[in-house]
Amino acid sequence: MSETLPCDIEELRTLFLFEKLEPEQLQRICSEGHVIRAEPGNLFTEGDPATCFYVMLEGEIALLRRVGGEDIETSRTSQRGVYSGAVQSYLGEQVPQIYRNSVRVIRPSRFYVLDAGTFAGIMREWFPMAMHMLEGLFLGLQSSQAAVGQRERLLALGSLSAGLTHELNNPAAAAVRATAALRERVAGMRHKLGFIASGHFTPDAMAAVVKIQEEAVERAAKAPQLSPLEAGDREDALADWLDEHDVPGGWDIAPTLVQAGLEPDWLQEVRDTVGEQAFPGAVRWLGYTVETEQLMDEIADATTRISTLVDSAKQYSQMDRAPFQVVDVHQLLDSTLVMLGKKIGSGVQVVKHYDTSLPRIGCYAAELNQVWTNLIDNAVGAMHGEGTLAITTGPLGDDHLFVEIADTGPGVPEEIRDRIFEPFFTTKPVGEGTGLGLDISWRIVVKKHRGDLSLQSTPGDTRFLVRLPLSGPQPTDA
């Protein structure tokens, strides 16, 4: 409830906002505006059309911002002359004319009120040069922020692309090497097939070799993993055994047979089955068989790794997917970790504490991946390649989930903690950081997803906490 009161020119003159105005200007201000008395309650609400400019004459107000569907008080004041409301009306249609926050009256207060259109007209008429400068400053800052933000995203994309290229190159090179080796082994098997066809093997011996070949493949699949020392000892013993049984080049084939779990006792059974004359050829045939299986396993592992990396890249970039979708937040986190794998390096231990019972949420997945990228990249950078990166998820109340990204770096100094989400603020050397990573992350979480992003930091324990509503934003939210 509010009550309209007469305007007092002398009272306006005592306010810092109007004290430099000429008498005629004060008269116009007073005649075109009015004074209201407001009882405790909301004066105006964030997001509503900005229709009025308010100046407090006396009383007390609280400023609030909407975060995660809740109004969070950001400041409280009883200072005469503080103003709020349609403060950007002079920019007209260049920016959305809505209230940027909410104002709540704490105790009965009086306000000078001016219509937004009148306020904009007076500002342009009285201060044309100042208006041009304010427009240039405001719109120039917006343009710079957008351009540098785009640069920040491109730098991140370049870094991720380099890492992905490196990650893809390793399994691709392994597959190429295995394919070349496989071609040699297949050629060797063809040679041995010609040897068999020449009549050195009887039909019974050939049938026995085929059966033994299948058994060798089964043994290779179940072979235990040996330490280098164990493998070396067994290779030496098997090479000696092969030499004793007139198998040429035993030292060459022994490592393959040992890796496949083919020991002298089993090979003796093979010798007894195929006969002394056919045994050397049978051993070489078995060696080719085992190597072929091992090489095919290497190729399968390499191509599976490539497929996994490509899937992770698609998941990260949300390629061919709608901007807004319902997803499992853990899939987004995992795809980001894969993309940042090279940058994280072997010196950083990644520890995941996922609550897999969390429901899927509606979100702008590609933009959330940008948040995870910024937070994880900052954490890894703070640790300088050595430490622990812990990612924890879980429920927060009945209607939110949280994602916490923690590192064991030196922490954020107390004197700058209140500034880390400011646009263009950075502690990195000139040219190494734009100061927009955390600002972009904050806007994606808070503005786009109606969530919250906060920091807790002590030396050795820095935690960024992202809170997201389970209901998610509406697909039309910006």
Side-chain angles (χ1 to χ4, degrees):
M1 297 288 293
S2 62
E3 173 188 0
T4 302
L5 303 172
C7 176
D8 183 347
I9 292 179
E10 294 305 316
E11 183 177 32
L12 293 186
R13 194 190 305 275
T14 65
L15 304 179
F16 64 85
L17 193 62
F18 302 133
E19 62 183 358
K20 300 296 184 181
L21 295 183
E22 299 295 332
E24 297 81 8
Q25 293 175 320
L26 276 172
Q27 179 63 49
R28 180 177 174 183
I29 286 286
C30 204
S31 63
E32 297 203 15
H34 60 280
V35 175
I36 63 169
R37 184 189 304 278
E39 297 299 319
N42 277 2
L43 185 64
F44 55 80
T45 302
E46 179 180 351
D48 287 349
T51 58
C52 295
F53 175 74
Y54 295 87
V55 182
M56 188 169 72
L57 301 174
E58 63 175 350
E60 183 178 10
I61 60 173
L63 275 67
L64 305 101
R65 294 296 301 269
R66 185 170 300 146
V67 178
E70 301 177 9
D71 286 333
I72 306 299
E73 184 175 318
T74 58
S75 64
R76 183 177 291 215
T77 182
S78 57
Q79 180 181 356
R80 297 180 69 247
V82 296
Y83 54 89
S84 59
V87 294
Q88 293 180 352
S89 60
Y90 59 84
L91 292 171
E93 296 181 354
Q94 296 179 89
V95 298
Q97 292 299 324
I98 58 175
Y99 291 120
R100 303 291 172 174
N101 55 15
S102 299
V103 168
R104 181 175 297 158
V105 178
I106 304 303
R107 56 185 172 86
S109 306
R110 287 190 307 121
F111 298 88
Y112 168 76
V113 185
L114 189 61
D115 176 77
T118 303
F119 173 64
I122 289 175
M123 291 287 285
R124 290 187 172 278
E125 179 182 342
W126 290 356
F127 313 108
M129 181 176 175
M131 287 305 94
H132 284 301
M133 293 183 69
L134 284 171
E135 285 181 358
L137 177 64
F138 180 84
L139 297 174
L141 180 63
Q142 275 195 328
S143 177
S144 296
Q145 193 165 338
V148 178
Q150 180 68 13
R151 175 64 175 169
E152 178 96 358
R153 286 187 285 271
L154 289 173
L155 287 172
L157 179 60
S159 177
L160 291 172
S161 297
L164 181 61
T165 300
H166 176 83
E167 293 292 334
L168 285 170
N169 183 65
N170 288 338
V176 170
R177 288 194 301 269
T179 302
L182 181 61
R183 182 175 288 109
E184 292 180 7
R185 300 307 179 270
V186 170
M189 292 185 75
R190 287 199 301 267
H191 174 74
K192 286 299 174 187
L193 185 59
F195 176 75
I196 292 169
S198 66
H200 289 82
F201 280 77
T202 66
D204 290 342
M206 187 62 208
V209 167
V210 172
K211 183 178 179 181
I212 290 169
Q213 184 184 37
E214 295 299 325
E215 185 177 344
V217 171
E218 292 178 7
R219 281 177 170 267
K222 300 175 183 178
Q225 189 73 29
L226 301 177
S227 69
L229 184 60
E230 290 175 323
D233 290 343
R234 295 191 184 188
E235 288 170 12
D236 290 341
L238 183 57
D240 291 341
W241 187 90
L242 292 172
D243 287 342
E244 292 170 3
H245 291 78
D246 301 322
V247 177
W251 59 271
D252 184 33
I253 195 173
T256 300
L257 299 178
V258 167
Q259 188 178 354
L262 306 184
E263 300 175 346
D265 290 346
W266 185 80
L267 290 172
Q268 182 61 53
E269 295 179 11
V270 173
R271 188 170 186 271
D272 294 340
T273 301
V274 301
E276 180 180 344
Q277 183 180 3
F279 180 62
V283 170
R284 187 64 63 178
W285 177 272
L286 291 175
Y288 287 142
T289 299
V290 170
E291 282 190 299
T292 300
E293 291 293 322
Q294 292 170 347
L295 290 169
M296 287 193 294
D297 287 343
E298 286 184 30
I299 294 171
D301 290 343
T303 53
T304 299
R305 174 64 176 161
I306 292 171
S307 178
T308 300
L309 286 167
V310 171
D311 286 344
S312 295
K314 290 180 66 176
Q315 171 70 28
Y316 178 85
S317 65
Q318 298 298 301
M319 189 186 303
D320 301 328
R321 302 183 186 184
F324 184 87
Q325 55 187 293
V326 178
V327 300
D328 180 348
V329 71
H330 303 113
Q331 292 179 346
L332 303 183
L333 289 165
D334 285 341
S335 67
T336 303
L337 287 171
V338 170
M339 294 295 289
L340 287 171
K342 182 174 183 291
K343 196 162 193 177
I344 293 173
S346 59
V348 174
Q349 180 185 11
V350 179
V351 179
K352 297 188 284 189
H353 302 289
Y354 288 173
D355 184 342
T356 55
S357 66
L358 289 177
R360 293 157 64 88
I361 62 169
C363 66
Y364 294 89
E367 296 189 43
L368 278 187
N369 279 340
Q370 188 177 358
V371 174
W372 313 142
T373 299
N374 290 336
L375 297 183
I376 293 172
D377 185 51
N378 282 351
V380 172
M383 292 185 287
H384 301 291
E386 296 287 341
T388 300
L389 173 70
I391 304 178
T392 306
T393 67
L396 199 61
D398 296 330
D399 54 359
H400 285 77
L401 63 80
F402 75 87
V403 176
E404 182 185 76
I405 297 176
D407 67 74
T408 55
V412 179
E414 185 175 359
E415 60 269 19
I416 67 169
R417 287 177 199 166
D418 293 337
R419 299 191 59 198
I420 60 170
F421 296 115
E422 290 181 10
F424 303 108
F425 178 77
T426 180
T427 58
K428 297 178 181 178
V430 174
E432 291 186 17
T434 63
L436 282 181
L438 290 177
D439 169 61
I440 290 171
S441 299
W442 188 88
R443 285 188 282 115
I444 290 172
V445 172
V446 176
K447 294 292 188 181
K448 195 103 178 186
H449 290 86
R450 306 298 186 189
D452 186 38
L453 174 58
S454 59
L455 165 72
Q456 292 182 342
S457 183
T458 58
D461 185 14
T462 297
R463 300 167 182 266
F464 281 93
L465 183 69
V466 177
R467 186 178 71 161
L468 296 170
L470 297 180
S471 58
Q474 295 301 313
T476 55
D477 283 350

